[in-house]
Amino acid sequence: MKITDITALTFRHKTNTVRDSDGHGHPGPESDTTSALLTITTEDGTTGHVICRPGEVREDLLDRFIRPNLLGQDALCTENLWYKVYKWQRLSGGQLLDRTLTAMDLALWDLKGKAAGMPVWKLLGGARPKILAYGSTMCGDDLENGLATPEDYARFADWMVNTRGYKAVKLHGWMPPMPGAPDPKKDYKACAAVREAVGPDVPLMLDPHHFYTRTDTLWLARKLAELDFRWMEEPMEEASISSYKWLRDNTDLNILGPETMTGKHWIRGEYVKADAIDLVRAGVWDVGGITPAMKTANMAECFHMATEMHGTGAGNLSVALAIHNTSFYERGLLHPFIDYDKPKEYQNRIDDEMDADGYVHGRDDPGLGQDLNMDYILANQT
Ligand code: XYH
Ligand code: MG
């Protein structure tokens, strides 16, 4: 299936998420934003699509790194094409980011699924047709009745579990520039309030400020172990593997990672070799796509370790459904002021609809399972 065309188009849509000065998302007034649709087309007209950020698929990046390596090639040979492009990162001067590699890889897997007439989650092995989601909150804020107090978190967790049907909950704590952040004691109060609200049996996790010191991290880890939390992730700079090894050696709480550390499946192998984590973290947008995410999960399985996928969306869901060694799908980010279940203007359906029992189901549509409103996208090109 020879690749004949690679295009990216940018389109406008609305969002009610605003970014603070550290980049974390919070609910805000509706505003205009843009996204991009990357399309890879083969000689028989089969197309693979992915939604990504416009900056990840700029024309200069496609011309310099993607088109020269893919045009004329067999689209089904995803392993070959991933490596052809990945090797260009080394001398790209930092121009070829992992997320561009991810966009290309996901579009190719979407195309492969369509060519095979199969959903990608089955093409990858189909370990399960559905998976429990955990509700992943937005970071703490200072909004009245938002996520500004431990009581706010407790009330929202109660709604997630007892009204919406989530079977697990992950808190993102308060992070700078929020008032009083970072503060492990404040994080702990929110975690204790949530544990009180949902009872002793609901799996709970914490994703706190990502730059705590070892001593603050250890204090928080030991307090979360008392609350029987399932894991804590990314409490410190992940470039310091030895700090995570030190943490893991000093607490009974499970430590998950690395999430945002560059190095794809290779760095996650090093974390495992260093005994620096209990559970492995991989997200298709962190490791360079489905192709390296599967390598990460298969490596982790050799050590009887779970791989917990980072982030929402069709790519992460496809891997989570494909592998045995995982617990949950991360669904979010959630907030009392945001209706997560409402499709965006460019979607007919969201990627990860969840039933009343807390399960997200794999779709049988060929490809990644994105249900895009192409009429809207084409009509709203920038
Ligand atoms: O905004 O720092 C953050 C979150 O940590 C974000 O990166 C992401 O949602 C996440 O870490 N999920 O686990
Ligand atoms: Mg995280």
Side-chain angles (χ1 to χ4, degrees):
M1 292 190 72
K2 189 179 295 184
I3 295 170
T4 53
D5 195 30
I6 300 169
T7 61
L9 68 83
T10 299
F11 61 93
R12 59 184 158 276
H13 59 96
K14 300 293 186 183
T15 180
N16 58 6
T17 297
V18 296
R19 296 276 160 190
D20 63 33
S21 56
D22 269 23
H24 300 297
H26 305 282
E30 185 175 82
S31 62
D32 294 327
T33 189
T34 58
S35 290
L37 174 76
L38 175 68
T39 301
I40 298 177
T41 306
T42 52
E43 58 196 333
D44 66 350
T46 306
T47 57
H49 298 297
V50 69
I51 299 291
C52 54
R53 298 170 185 166
E56 295 157 358
V57 289
R58 297 192 320 264
E59 277 303 305
D60 63 305
L61 294 174
L62 298 180
D63 277 341
R64 185 175 168 197
F65 301 116
I66 308 300
R67 290 184 179 116
N69 284 303
L70 266 60
L71 289 175
Q73 298 292 316
D74 184 342
L76 302 181
C77 298
T78 43
E79 185 71 15
N80 170 48
L81 298 178
W82 189 88
Y83 255 91
K84 276 172 67 69
V85 177
Y86 147 70
K87 290 186 293 185
W88 277 78
Q89 286 188 299
R90 182 171 171 276
L91 295 175
S92 75
Q95 291 300 304
L96 180 53
L97 300 178
D98 285 352
R99 288 183 65 99
T100 298
L101 204 50
T102 301
M104 175 207 75
D105 189 65
L106 265 59
L108 285 172
W109 275 102
D110 186 48
L111 193 154
K112 179 144 59 173
K114 287 166 181 170
M118 290 172 63
V120 170
W121 67 271
K122 279 188 182 176
L123 212 52
L124 295 170
R128 67 190 82 197
K130 63 181 182 178
I131 185 168
L132 283 174
Y134 65 79
S136 187
T137 75
M138 278 187 163
C139 297
D141 53 42
D142 57 358
L143 301 171
E144 188 174 359
N145 298 320
L147 293 174
T149 66
E151 294 71 27
D152 287 343
Y153 274 97
R155 182 171 56 250
F156 190 42
D158 177 61
W159 175 84
M160 281 197 260
V161 171
N162 296 312
T163 303
R164 187 61 185 82
Y166 284 98
K167 296 296 183 286
V169 172
K170 184 169 85 179
L171 292 74
H172 285 95
W174 289 277
M175 309 189 190
M178 288 303 149
D183 180 352
K185 290 182 169 53
K186 191 176 178 186
D187 285 342
Y188 168 66
K189 286 176 184 173
C191 294
V194 167
R195 173 55 78 202
E196 178 69 25
V198 301
D201 301 324
V202 174
L204 298 177
M205 297 78 88
L206 177 67
D207 192 339
H209 172 56
H210 305 309
F211 306 100
Y212 275 131
T213 62
R214 284 190 179 192
T215 47
D216 279 348
T217 299
L218 183 58
W219 181 88
L220 188 52
R222 287 174 172 169
K223 298 298 283 184
L224 294 183
E226 292 172 10
L227 295 174
D228 192 25
F229 265 52
R230 192 177 184 98
W231 78 62
M232 175 164 65
E233 62 184 81
E234 205 181 355
M236 300 180 285
E237 165 56 58
E238 292 178 327
S240 178
I241 298 179
S242 60
S243 294
Y244 279 87
K245 166 71 173 157
W246 174 88
L247 172 64
R248 184 169 177 268
D249 290 346
N250 286 281
T251 178
D252 292 335
L253 179 72
N254 290 331
I255 303 303
L256 167 73
E259 173 168 312
T260 52
M261 182 65 199
T262 55
K264 303 183 182 69
H265 44 300
W266 289 288
I267 194 62
R268 284 153 181 84
E270 290 302 323
Y271 258 78
V272 170
K273 183 170 184 292
D275 285 328
I277 45 173
D278 300 286
L279 308 97
V280 180
R281 191 91 166 125
V284 294
W285 292 99
D286 302 305
V287 299
I290 287 171
T291 299
M294 289 300 292
K295 294 174 191 274
T296 303
N298 296 162
M299 173 275 298
E301 186 175 12
C302 299
F303 298 92
H304 301 293
M305 294 172 77
T307 297
E308 302 297 342
M309 296 305 292
H310 165 220
T312 188
N316 285 310
L317 178 58
S318 296
V319 175
L321 291 168
I323 61 176
H324 275 291
N325 55 320
T326 195
S327 313
F328 300 102
Y329 166 76
E330 179 172 16
R331 195 169 190 264
L333 297 179
L334 308 177
H335 191 280
F337 297 172
I338 289 178
D339 178 2
Y340 180 85
D341 291 294
K342 181 185 174 190
K344 295 183 173 60
E345 291 150 298
Y346 56 85
Q347 295 174 316
N348 294 321
R349 295 181 296 170
I350 62 175
D351 292 346
D352 52 359
E353 293 160 324
M354 187 179 84
D355 66 23
D357 297 321
Y359 282 97
V360 178
H361 297 248
R363 287 176 179 158
D364 281 327
D365 311 75
L368 277 178
Q370 304 164 114
D371 188 352
L372 300 176
N373 182 338
M374 297 304 275
D375 291 342
Y376 174 89
I377 291 172
L378 296 172
N380 287 276
Q381 291 185 58
T382 58

